[in-house]
Amino acid sequence: MQEEAPGSQMLPTPADASFPNINLTRIAFGSCHSRGALNKRLESDPNSKTIWDIIASVVQPQTFLWTGDAVYPPKEVKGDYPLEVLKYEFHQMKTNTTLGYANFIKNNMLEGGVHGTWDDHDYGGNDRGYELKGKDERRDAYLDFLGVKRKNYDRPGVYNSVEFGKHPNNVKVIFLDTRYNRSKHCIPSVGSHPYVPHGAIVACLTRLFTSRFNFCKHNKQVLGEEQWAWFERQLAESTASMHIVVSSIQVLTTNPVVESWGHFPNERERLLKLINPVSGLVLLSGDVHHAEMSSTKRVNNESKAIVEVTSSGLTHSCVGGWYGRFCKPILDYFPKHRFQGGNVASAADPSYFTNKNFGSISIDWKMRKFNVKVHDETGHVELNTGPLSLDARANLSHSELGAVDKCINNHSLANNNIVTMAGMVMLGLMFCQFSIKRRQPLQPTKHD
């Protein structure tokens, strides 16, 4: 905390990192990078380029922003990930040149460095929140991965901010931590349980169930009051022309299958109210293994709207695996949050992309515009917001904010679909209970 000198005013809360001499015009971002998935591809085609090679050549970014899940544990690791496993994966990313990232971060074009926040997998457990043990040690390991100096760093989490340039050509990036203090889901997720088969699928079903029947209390938290106070100061005292707010989980989605702010409706409402008057704002997110563009308005319009761009799946995506056939149907079933016109191939098609991808932001300071794009693994642009104004603010009215489509109890499902959904959830839970009883633990569970 800064102390106020007699007769003076408090100085604005500074960003954690500042690059005043960089005129930022090119940004790359992405999430969900699995060494195992990449190694499998390199085994079949050892001479192929990595996505890091493509990002460097296509975007030539001045900075890279992690939106979560920089690493995953090996498949044989069940349950919460031991700290040493995370450290090993972080070390591999930074030193194993075959993965591509080690060379990428040494590139001179990255004058603004690499910054980010974590999600559940680089935090240490699928769907985990405040209940995960060893959070501070995990935090320190993640900060070491990013190259953050940890002297006197005692925040509850990895939330941070970075600022580039000088006014009026300055950009502020605010990274939120949606794991360290986040409450358990209404029905606690079994996604990280070591003895629940397909626990992640079961967790999706329970989220779907609770969102439809809305029988949970909404007093759960995502950020925690200390982070909320910090976030409010970062926005209130900002002089930046552009604001990028990074949340590892999605904010605007109405898809209840995935983790999102929508499962914590009071927190989501608080977030939208806070960012509503902010100029030059865009939300970035990851986590879901697909890319999409969302907005508080169905039609892409740079005024009177909050825009979110999700890029997830640097090395793998939702169409992989036996469950891949369900990815597009699920996305099509929950379209209310998605604006039309972002799909480059056809403006009439939904603004999502289900293969491996990364994101980029280009800024035109002379025209006072910025553009957010999603690229496939070859660099081809698949989604594009079009030009957005650095001077625009959503400034939604109270009634307009209240009308933003929700994830909880906001779906008109036919009765037969409700019965089918409830039956699937019950069968899944019964199967898990049966499996847990039959399995003999090889080691003590890490769960409470």
Side-chain angles (χ1 to χ4, degrees):
M1 292 287 292
Q2 294 171 312
E3 294 185 3
E4 186 174 1
S8 66
Q9 293 182 338
M10 288 285 286
L11 294 173
T13 303
D16 295 293
S18 180
F19 299 84
N21 296 323
I22 295 178
N23 185 42
L24 191 63
T25 58
R26 304 181 310 279
I27 304 169
F29 63 96
S31 66
C32 302
H33 188 281
S34 166
R35 182 171 63 92
L38 181 56
N39 281 340
K40 186 179 295 185
R41 173 185 166 183
L42 292 175
E43 286 173 4
S44 60
D45 187 5
N47 295 319
S48 64
K49 290 184 177 181
T50 70
I51 202 163
W52 301 108
D53 299 318
I54 303 301
I55 294 172
S57 62
V58 171
V59 182
Q60 298 181 5
Q62 294 161 285
T63 186
F64 181 83
L65 312 179
W66 278 110
T67 59
D69 290 336
V71 298
Y72 286 72
K75 282 190 173 181
E76 59 268 20
V77 176
K78 304 299 181 183
D80 296 337
Y81 321 147
L83 178 61
E84 292 309 311
V85 169
L86 285 176
K87 287 183 175 180
Y88 179 78
E89 293 299 326
F90 288 141
H91 179 72
Q92 284 291 305
M93 282 289 285
K94 295 180 72 173
T95 60
N96 186 341
T97 56
T98 62
L99 303 180
Y101 183 72
N103 293 330
F104 175 77
I105 60 177
K106 293 175 183 176
N107 198 310
N108 290 332
M109 69 185 172
L110 277 176
E111 54 184 334
V114 175
H115 311 275
T117 189
W118 58 16
D119 197 39
D120 50 351
H121 293 288
D122 41 7
Y123 178 49
N126 190 30
D127 294 353
R128 285 300 216 170
Y130 81 94
E131 74 280 3
L132 184 64
K133 290 180 171 57
K135 294 187 295 184
D136 290 343
E137 292 80 7
R138 296 171 185 276
R139 174 200 64 195
D140 292 348
Y142 184 76
L143 295 176
D144 288 344
F145 166 68
L146 290 181
V148 175
K149 295 179 180 179
R150 293 194 279 111
K151 185 178 181 181
N152 300 324
Y153 193 102
D154 58 355
R155 284 182 194 161
V158 299
Y159 57 91
N160 68 95
S161 63
V162 187
E163 191 156 355
F164 301 89
K166 299 174 183 178
H167 188 75
N169 295 357
N170 51 337
V171 179
K172 188 166 207 175
V173 186
I174 299 175
F175 295 93
L176 302 179
D177 185 332
T178 64
R179 293 293 166 183
Y180 192 98
N181 283 305
R182 200 213 66 195
S183 303
K184 291 183 180 180
H185 287 279
C186 176
I187 298 178
S189 172
V190 295
S192 191
H193 200 293
Y195 306 115
V196 175
H198 304 300
I201 304 298
V202 176
C204 290
L205 291 173
T206 56
R207 286 192 289 268
L208 183 62
F209 180 81
T210 56
S211 71
R212 181 61 186 88
F213 294 103
N214 193 18
F215 56 80
C216 297
K217 295 180 179 179
H218 295 162
N219 58 353
K220 294 175 177 290
Q221 67 176 8
V222 175
L223 301 186
E225 287 305 318
E226 186 172 336
Q227 186 176 175
W228 272 117
W230 171 87
F231 185 24
E232 289 165 0
R233 290 195 305 272
Q234 289 290 325
L235 290 177
E237 300 171 2
S238 175
T239 61
S241 293
M242 181 178 182
H243 298 86
I244 301 171
V245 175
V246 180
S247 166
S248 63
I249 58 173
Q250 290 184 302
V251 176
L252 297 178
T253 185
T254 57
N255 180 358
V257 172
V258 300
E259 287 196 285
S260 74
W261 283 77
H263 291 285
F264 304 86
N266 288 353
E267 293 281 89
R268 181 179 187 253
E269 180 181 356
R270 183 175 179 178
L271 175 66
L272 293 180
K273 285 181 178 178
L274 182 60
I275 63 177
N276 184 39
V278 177
S279 63
L281 173 81
V282 66
L283 293 168
L284 301 183
S285 54
D287 178 56
V288 291
H289 299 179
H290 68 268
E292 68 178 323
M293 293 184 170
S294 308
S295 175
T296 51
K297 295 182 71 174
R298 287 296 305 278
V299 178
N300 182 16
N301 187 324
E302 65 180 65
S303 62
K304 298 292 285 183
I306 297 170
V307 174
E308 176 182 2
V309 179
T310 302
S311 174
S312 175
L314 287 164
T315 58
H316 56 293
S317 74
C318 67
V319 295
W322 62 267
Y323 49 82
R325 70 189 71 177
F326 301 110
C327 181
K328 288 186 177 181
I330 290 173
L331 294 179
D332 288 336
Y333 199 81
F334 301 105
K336 289 184 176 181
H337 59 282
R338 216 172 288 123
F339 64 70
Q340 297 296 323
N343 194 308
V344 172
S346 171
D349 289 340
S351 299
Y352 67 70
F353 180 68
T354 57
N355 288 313
K356 293 185 281 291
N357 62 88
F358 64 90
S360 71
I361 302 175
S362 57
I363 306 170
D364 186 332
W365 292 109
K366 181 180 287 189
M367 300 299 295
R368 302 290 295 171
K369 302 284 185 181
F370 68 97
N371 226 42
V372 189
K373 302 174 183 177
V374 171
H375 308 249
D376 68 11
E377 62 181 323
T378 70
H380 180 264
V381 177
E382 297 290 343
L383 305 177
N384 190 340
T385 61
L388 302 174
S389 173
L390 289 168
D391 301 311
R393 306 167 191 261
N395 278 338
L396 302 176
S397 67
H398 179 75
S399 60
E400 286 173 325
L401 278 172
V404 173
D405 288 305
K406 298 174 177 59
C407 168
I408 300 290
N409 200 23
N410 196 43
H411 311 292
S412 55
L413 300 177
N415 288 335
N416 62 325
N417 284 338
I418 295 174
V419 172
T420 300
M421 179 179 68
M424 289 174 64
V425 172
M426 294 305 296
L427 284 173
L429 292 174
M430 290 170 63
F431 176 66
C432 290
Q433 184 180 24
F434 175 78
S435 299
I436 293 171
K437 285 183 178 180
R438 286 182 59 87
R439 293 186 180 208
Q440 293 295 322
L442 300 177
Q443 58 185 12
T445 178
K446 294 180 181 292
H447 291 254
D448 297 335

